[in-house]
Amino acid sequence: MGIDPNFDDNRERVGEENGVDVWGPVDPPEQLGIHGVHVAVDYDLCVADGACLQNCPVDVFTWVDTPGHPESDRKVEPTYEDQCIDCMLCVDICPVDAIDVDGSRS
């Protein structure tokens, strides 16, 4: 099961990290929630294979450390989600469907 495409309706915004909105529940280090709005990454699903970061044509993503998370010790953060061109490449290549891009959420 991938990221909930309706997370912004089904989850509560619990704060911000590095200028990126965070949607709960959050209980570090095991549960980190969804990060981003227009480009959203479910940190609890992300396995940090880096395909989205390496292939994004406009460099939306950066690495952030998430020590102690059961899936991986780092995640891709949609740091520059405002630069997203809606090509959907990140959505298509994510091996665990941890990313959602939605033009109506900006």
Side-chain angles (χ1 to χ4, degrees):
M1 183 171 149
I3 188 173
D4 174 5
N6 300 310
F7 72 87
D8 55 329
D9 291 327
N10 298 331
R11 293 181 176 221
E12 180 181 347
R13 183 183 176 280
V14 295
E16 189 178 283
E17 286 183 22
N18 305 316
V20 177
D21 288 337
V22 178
W23 306 80
V26 173
D27 185 19
E30 293 86 16
Q31 197 170 24
L32 302 175
I34 294 176
H35 293 232
V37 178
H38 177 72
V39 179
V41 178
D42 188 329
Y43 275 28
D44 298 321
L45 297 176
C46 178
V47 294
D49 81 327
C52 56
L53 184 137
Q54 294 168 0
N55 292 287
C56 179
V58 291
D59 298 323
V60 165
F61 303 99
T62 60
W63 286 118
V64 294
D65 292 328
T66 57
H69 190 269
E71 291 299 326
S72 64
D73 285 334
R74 64 181 184 169
K75 305 291 178 188
V76 290
E77 178 180 80
T79 307
Y80 305 107
E81 66 181 322
D82 60 328
Q83 296 179 16
C84 179
I85 58 173
D86 299 340
C87 72
M88 306 300 281
L89 180 60
C90 59
V91 174
D92 293 340
I93 62 176
C94 181
V96 292
D97 297 323
I99 302 173
D100 184 56
V101 174
D102 185 348
S104 66
R105 283 193 312 256
S106 298

